[in-house]
């Protein structure tokens, strides 16, 4: 169970990337009051938590309804996570997030960024949704599922803290340190993604 928790926590932490969400949130809420920033940070994480919980609990039933095996989803999810890892290593993910933030800033009538783009897709995006479904499939029984959900809640709590402390975090980390951390996490995610693909292929050939 400890190994499952660590694996789930690391995977979701790398995908959601709380330190990486902080500068985007700070940029999008630069003109908001302190109370509004706090409210949007909490609301963003709560909406993302609801979305991830939905796919964590009902994701497998959804796959069954679509006629998709867990092995196929593991392989597809692993490939998708590997592509995200490559973007992190080469800093393309950061550039895309910054571009999205600039597009939102260019639309002055859109003030509340809780749902879009913070909750969806920056926190509860395709990568995190696929990850939580894959991790729930790895967890055996109720205890394993609770461990995965606990790891998810821990990462979301860190994400909320990162958003609430976005300004101080940016001043402390700086762009160079953030870029270095992102690259390291990208390498770790690439290894985890490869493991998902290996597991999916192993399950397929064992049937």
């Amino acid at each position: 169970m400890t190994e499952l928790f660590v694996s789930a926590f690391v995977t979701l932490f790398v995908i959601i990337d709380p330190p990486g969400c902080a500068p985007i949130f700070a940029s999008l809420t630069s003109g908001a009051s302190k109370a509004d920033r706090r409210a949007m940070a909490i609301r963003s994480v709560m909406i993302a938590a609801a979305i991830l919980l939905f796919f964590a609990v009902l994701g497998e039933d959804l796959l069954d309804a679509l006629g998709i095996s867990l092995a196929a989803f593991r392989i597809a999810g692993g490939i998708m996570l590997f592509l995200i890892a490559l973007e992190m290593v080469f800093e393309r993910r950061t550039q895309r997030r910054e571009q999205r933030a600039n597009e939102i800033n260019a639309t002055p009538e859109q003030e509340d960024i809780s749902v879009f783009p913070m909750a969806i897709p920056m926190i509860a995006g395709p990568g995190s949704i696929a990850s939580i479904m894959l991790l729930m499939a790895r967890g055996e029984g109720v205890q394993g599922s609770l461990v995965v959900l606990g790891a998810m809640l821990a990462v979301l709590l860190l994400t909320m803290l990162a958003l609430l402390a976005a300004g101080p975090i940016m001043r402390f980390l700086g762009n160079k340190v953030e870029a270095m951390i992102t690259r390291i996490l990208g390498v770790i995610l690439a290894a985890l993604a490869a493991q998902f693909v290996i597991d999916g292929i192993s399950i397929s050939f064992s049937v």
Side-chain angles (χ1 to χ4, degrees):
M1 288 299 134
T2 302
E3 181 181 351
L4 177 61
F5 179 86
V6 172
S7 176
F9 181 86
V10 171
T11 301
L12 292 172
F13 185 88
V14 171
I15 286 293
I16 295 175
D17 187 18
C21 289
I24 304 300
F25 181 79
S27 173
L28 293 175
T29 59
S30 58
S33 65
K34 186 176 181 180
D36 287 339
R37 287 199 302 270
R38 186 187 305 112
M40 282 189 281
I42 296 173
R43 191 158 53 243
S44 298
V45 175
M46 294 300 291
I47 294 171
I51 294 171
L52 293 177
L53 183 61
F54 172 83
F55 282 99
V57 175
L58 300 177
E60 188 171 349
D61 294 333
L62 180 61
L63 291 181
D64 291 338
L66 295 174
I68 302 173
S69 67
L70 283 176
F73 191 79
R74 285 177 188 266
I75 296 172
I79 293 173
M80 183 170 64
L81 294 181
F82 188 80
L83 294 176
I84 294 175
L86 290 180
E87 289 187 340
M88 292 175 68
V89 172
F90 294 104
E91 291 191 324
R92 294 174 185 169
R93 189 187 189 201
T94 301
Q95 294 173 2
R96 190 175 67 250
R97 280 182 163 181
E98 290 175 349
Q99 181 180 2
R100 186 180 296 137
N102 291 332
E103 291 173 355
I104 298 300
N105 276 332
T107 312
E109 64 272 13
Q110 185 166 355
E111 298 178 355
D112 191 347
I113 47 88
S114 301
V115 178
F116 177 84
M118 288 310 304
I120 309 170
M122 289 191 180
I123 301 176
S128 53
I129 290 173
S131 296
I132 194 63
M133 292 175 66
L134 289 170
L135 291 166
M136 288 293 286
R138 288 180 63 184
E140 298 179 356
V142 177
Q143 187 177 3
S145 298
L146 291 176
V147 169
V148 173
L149 291 177
M152 181 191 78
L153 292 176
V155 173
L156 290 175
L157 178 60
L158 290 176
T159 304
M160 183 183 295
L161 294 176
L163 297 185
L164 291 172
I169 286 177
M170 283 307 299
R171 288 192 296 270
F172 175 75
L173 288 180
N175 293 331
K176 291 185 178 179
V177 175
E178 182 190 352
M180 180 188 68
I181 294 174
T182 299
R183 283 193 170 101
I184 294 174
L185 293 178
V187 174
I188 295 174
L189 179 60
L192 290 170
Q195 188 61 54
F196 279 134
V197 174
I198 292 172
D199 291 344
I201 294 175
S202 300
I203 293 172
S204 298
F205 280 101
S206 64
V207 175

